[in-house]
Amino acid sequence: MLIRKPLVVACMALAPMVHAQESGNWKGEAELGVLVTSGNSEETKVNGRLGLIHETDTWRNSGDFSSKYTEAEDQTTAEEYKAALEADYKFDDQQYWFVRGSWEDDRFSGYDFESTLTTGYGNRVWQSGDRSFLDLSAGAGYRYNKLKQVDVDTGRDVEEEAIARLAGQFDYGLSETSLFRQKLSTEIGLDDNNTITQSETSLQSTIVNSLSMKVAFRVKHVSDAPEGSDKTDTETSLSLLYGF
């Protein structure tokens, strides 16, 4: 059945939400977008995401897990899984030290998987109320990516190098029921100079209680993409978001 696999992917991405909500120590958001077309062209698109955060006086721990699946005319055209974990040690209300790990498996990217581990300094340089703030961070770490095919120039099927990471997040509460969010990060290779930049621009508006509608535009650019892969990927999504 055309929609069976996408729904399984979404359920796997969102299943931890139930445990997180019952624990009482976490807050977060679950996101799900499904688009099914039929007739002359049959296509199914599913986006699932789970974001969790736990904060104390000295620590802020967060996790972000997402999946994407697209099937057109019984052929898979997109399949992607991402996970990112971060622990921030807060020196005060503004400054913090972070440790971050990420993993990505994009079937059509030219990589078997991409992974990074970074650490560095962050600062909440501006905040207004509970919903509007600007976070900036800078750090360094290590990248380990597994290629699907051996690189003809190096004769290797892995990319390993030290990286510098720059990132920012800007949240702005347009009203009590709407929020604008901009995320931007770049990871610069210090050996092979491969730079990976990602951006997400989103706008969400409350429908009722904890349920919101979200529209987002995402861009990923790889300066030295694997052979046969595009350097730039873009995605526009419309989804429902549940906050808890």
Side-chain angles (χ1 to χ4, degrees):
M1 188 176 180
L2 181 65
I3 197 173
R4 182 181 298 167
K5 186 173 181 180
L7 286 180
V8 170
V9 172
C11 290
M12 290 176 63
L14 301 181
M17 181 188 70
V18 176
H19 173 72
Q21 188 175 15
E22 290 176 351
S23 69
N25 296 323
W26 294 79
K27 64 178 181 179
E29 54 189 24
E31 184 178 336
L32 179 62
V34 179
L35 173 65
V36 180
T37 61
S38 61
N40 293 326
S41 177
E42 293 188 354
E43 186 175 27
T44 301
K45 296 182 179 181
V46 177
N47 291 322
R49 175 181 163 270
L50 174 68
L52 296 171
I53 185 167
H54 176 261
E55 193 158 1
T56 67
D57 291 339
T58 55
W59 288 96
R60 178 170 55 238
N61 303 304
S62 60
D64 199 270
F65 312 90
S66 63
S67 67
K68 178 177 69 175
Y69 182 88
T70 303
E71 186 175 287
E73 303 297 338
D74 294 328
Q75 297 291 324
T76 301
T77 57
E79 187 172 359
E80 177 185 280
Y81 307 93
K82 292 182 179 181
L85 299 173
E86 181 170 323
D88 302 337
Y89 177 77
K90 297 186 288 185
F91 300 115
D92 51 38
D93 291 339
Q94 290 181 290
Q95 304 178 85
Y96 59 92
W97 189 267
F98 74 87
V99 176
R100 182 181 187 275
S102 69
W103 176 85
E104 179 177 339
D105 181 2
D106 184 345
R107 178 175 169 183
F108 297 93
S109 67
Y111 292 103
D112 270 342
F113 66 83
E114 303 170 65
S115 62
T116 64
L117 180 63
T118 54
T119 185
Y121 171 81
N123 195 312
R124 180 155 293 187
V125 296
W126 172 79
Q127 182 160 6
S128 177
D130 296 329
R131 302 173 67 232
S132 301
F133 63 85
L134 173 61
D135 278 355
L136 299 176
S137 63
Y142 190 72
R143 171 191 293 153
Y144 184 92
N145 296 341
K146 181 72 164 56
L147 296 164
K148 288 186 180 294
Q149 299 180 351
V150 175
D151 190 301
V152 294
D153 295 326
T154 64
R156 305 181 64 202
D157 64 350
V158 297
E159 293 179 351
E160 300 177 82
E161 63 179 329
I163 59 173
R165 174 180 170 83
L166 303 173
Q169 177 173 333
F170 174 64
D171 279 21
Y172 187 76
L174 300 173
S175 68
E176 293 183 358
T177 58
S178 60
L179 177 69
F180 171 82
R181 175 172 292 166
Q182 174 66 56
K183 295 181 179 180
L184 181 64
S185 68
T186 183
E187 295 173 343
I188 306 164
L190 302 180
D191 298 325
D192 297 330
N193 299 317
N194 188 15
T195 299
I196 299 177
T197 302
Q198 300 190 66
S199 170
E200 179 183 301
T201 305
S202 66
L203 180 64
Q204 64 187 64
S205 180
T206 301
I207 299 174
V208 58
N209 297 329
S210 298
L211 189 65
S212 302
M213 181 71 73
K214 176 182 175 181
V215 59
F217 178 69
R218 303 176 183 90
V219 181
K220 179 180 179 180
H221 178 77
V222 182
S223 65
D224 188 12
E227 186 176 355
S229 301
D230 293 333
K231 291 187 175 182
T232 303
D233 287 328
T234 63
E235 174 192 352
T236 301
S237 66
L238 180 65
S239 55
L240 289 174
L241 188 147
Y242 175 72
F244 55 92

